[in-house]
Amino acid sequence: MKISPWQLFWMFTTLEISMSIWLTVAPTIETARQDAWISLAVAGVIGLFVTLILILVSQRHDSLTLVEFAQKLAGKWIGWLIGALYIAVWFSVSADILRIFSLFIKQYLFHDTPIWLIAFLMVAAMTYINYAGSVEAIARFSELAGPLLLAGILVTFSLNVTNLHVDLLLPVYADSGALSILKGSLVNASFLGESMMIMMLTPFIANSKKMLKPALLAICIPSLIAVVTSVMVIMTFGTNIGSTLVFPYFSMVRFINYLEFVQNMDVWIMFIWIFSVFVKLAMYLFINSYGTAQLFGVKNWRVMIGFVAAAIFAISLVPANVIGILDYATFVWIPYIFPIFIVALPLLLLLVSMARGRTLAPEGQ
């Protein structure tokens, strides 16, 4: 199971965009008002710094996954606990994304279809691609979905130009200030922190020493798109309406009406967005299945795919509404998972690895 560094780029670009412009723009506008674009630019810088740490610690143990090198760095039991906590986090994130996806599809496409059926179809698809080709198949699929997603976003940006009102972006900085801008940046910065899955993927990357540039570029592009999206949403709806929309980018796409001819762009965008969410969920299923197998010493990791998929599906059916789902990001992801699992623990593992030098294993030689 090997993927190239540029396949990694397309995977990360696709999965980072899939939720960031859908879910982070409105909370950022609510906090930073018309300076949301500055907050999202700051978030991109934070995301680059965090991803750099994750890459450095992964490259030092490039033949080992997080579950393995955590036990070598922190000892068997503490390392096992660290690995188990990360797997638990990835389980919760997977279920949350599946919930958001299912409710979104039900709300905009299939009003009378049960949520469990929509979720089941997605789980079946991501289970199949993991059984059939694992991370290699996901990487190849992302090479198709990624360019489609970027092209679709750029087309919608260009078609929405006639709806823009530049005065809605003014004044700059005067109504928010540095503290609000920094606070608003945490939302998207935490979403960009999903690059922490690189710690599970490094052993599968051919020539992992060359993955730094593609991985950082995969943070820059979604960050830039998030900045442009926030500018577009504010200039289209203003801050008062833009901050209340659950899916502001999608609402903007539905607002496109070019010469009474180009309309209903939302159907096309939703179609390619489903592909990007599929890449994201398939990747989480892979790292959850592979990591769980390593935690419990199961040699054939594919045995775990069915159990992990069933668990994610069951957890995804718990919440009742979209608002409850978004609370996960507000009350769990940003205050706890982001500072602890995305920043603190990888930094600590990097420092321990550097302190111990080359005594761990020859994989970095």
Side-chain angles (χ1 to χ4, degrees):
M1 296 187 294
K2 287 292 181 180
I3 62 175
S4 71
W6 287 105
Q7 285 180 321
L8 177 73
F9 161 77
W10 281 116
M11 282 198 303
F12 270 31
T13 300
T14 305
L15 65 88
E16 293 288 5
I17 292 175
S18 64
M19 285 295 173
S20 62
I21 64 172
W22 256 261
L23 298 179
T24 67
V25 173
T28 306
I29 294 175
E30 183 179 5
T31 303
R33 310 304 293 172
Q34 64 267 25
D35 294 322
W37 63 274
I38 304 177
S39 288
L40 290 167
V42 173
V45 175
I46 297 172
L48 285 172
F49 175 74
V50 170
T51 304
L52 179 61
I53 294 174
L54 294 166
I55 292 172
L56 290 176
V57 70
S58 299
Q59 285 182 329
R60 291 183 66 85
H61 317 290
D62 55 8
S63 66
L64 306 176
T65 66
L66 167 69
V67 175
E68 294 171 316
F69 71 71
Q71 294 185 44
K72 287 184 173 292
L73 290 171
K76 181 178 179 180
W77 297 111
I78 296 177
W80 188 93
L81 178 61
I82 291 173
L85 288 173
Y86 270 99
I87 297 298
V89 167
W90 286 322
F91 263 95
S92 67
V93 175
S94 306
D96 190 59
I97 295 168
L98 185 59
R99 286 193 293 261
I100 294 173
F101 167 81
S102 303
L103 282 167
F104 181 84
I105 296 299
K106 178 180 175 63
Q107 179 178 348
Y108 287 101
L109 283 182
F110 307 118
H111 304 287
D112 298 326
T113 304
I115 292 175
W116 68 265
L117 181 57
I118 300 171
F120 176 79
L121 292 174
M122 175 57 80
V123 169
M126 63 197 212
T127 300
Y128 171 76
I129 197 171
N130 271 281
Y131 267 119
S134 68
V135 68
E136 289 185 65
I138 300 170
R140 289 194 294 268
F141 184 84
S142 67
E143 288 183 294
L144 298 175
L148 274 177
L149 182 62
L150 290 178
I153 291 171
L154 293 177
V155 169
T156 57
F157 284 166
S158 62
L159 291 176
N160 192 56
V161 170
T162 56
N163 297 323
L164 304 181
H165 305 278
V166 180
D167 57 301
L168 293 176
L169 275 177
L170 304 174
V172 176
Y173 192 77
D175 293 340
S176 56
L179 186 61
S180 295
I181 290 174
L182 183 60
K183 183 179 179 182
S185 70
L186 295 178
V187 182
N188 196 47
S190 66
F191 274 63
L192 294 174
E194 284 186 291
S195 57
M196 64 177 171
M197 65 173 64
I198 192 70
M199 294 188 292
M200 286 293 297
L201 295 177
T202 305
F204 308 103
I205 301 172
N207 200 354
S208 60
K209 297 303 179 184
K210 293 185 178 181
M211 72 179 181
L212 179 62
K213 181 180 177 180
L216 293 182
L217 191 60
I219 300 299
C220 289
I221 291 178
S223 300
L224 179 61
I225 290 176
V227 169
V228 177
T229 301
S230 66
V231 170
M232 289 276 189
V233 169
I234 293 171
M235 289 198 293
T236 302
F237 300 111
T239 55
N240 292 330
I241 296 176
S243 63
T244 60
L245 298 171
V246 179
F247 305 107
Y249 169 74
F250 188 72
S251 299
M252 183 187 75
V253 172
R254 301 186 80 182
F255 202 62
I256 293 174
N257 185 353
Y258 192 72
L259 299 176
E260 298 293 332
F261 177 72
V262 180
Q263 299 176 340
N264 301 320
M265 289 289 296
D266 50 307
V267 176
W268 182 43
I269 291 298
M270 186 180 297
F271 179 72
I272 59 178
W273 178 73
I274 291 173
F275 285 164
S276 67
V277 175
F278 170 67
V279 170
K280 193 184 193 87
L281 285 171
M283 280 306 308
Y284 273 119
L285 178 59
F286 173 75
I287 62 175
N288 280 330
S289 301
Y290 200 89
T292 303
Q294 287 188 319
L295 280 175
F296 295 102
V298 179
K299 292 184 178 180
N300 184 4
W301 70 274
R302 282 184 169 86
V303 173
M304 304 303 300
I305 294 176
F307 296 104
V308 171
I312 293 172
F313 174 71
I315 299 170
S316 73
L317 300 179
V318 175
N321 56 66
V322 175
I323 304 302
I325 291 171
L326 299 181
D327 284 343
Y328 175 85
T330 305
F331 298 111
V332 179
W333 183 265
I334 297 173
Y336 298 108
I337 294 176
F338 179 61
I340 297 173
F341 292 91
I342 299 177
V343 179
L345 280 176
L347 183 58
L348 181 61
L349 290 172
L350 177 62
L351 294 175
V352 172
S353 179
M354 293 174 67
R356 297 184 62 177
R358 293 286 186 179
T359 60
L360 267 177
E363 70 271 7
Q365 296 178 358

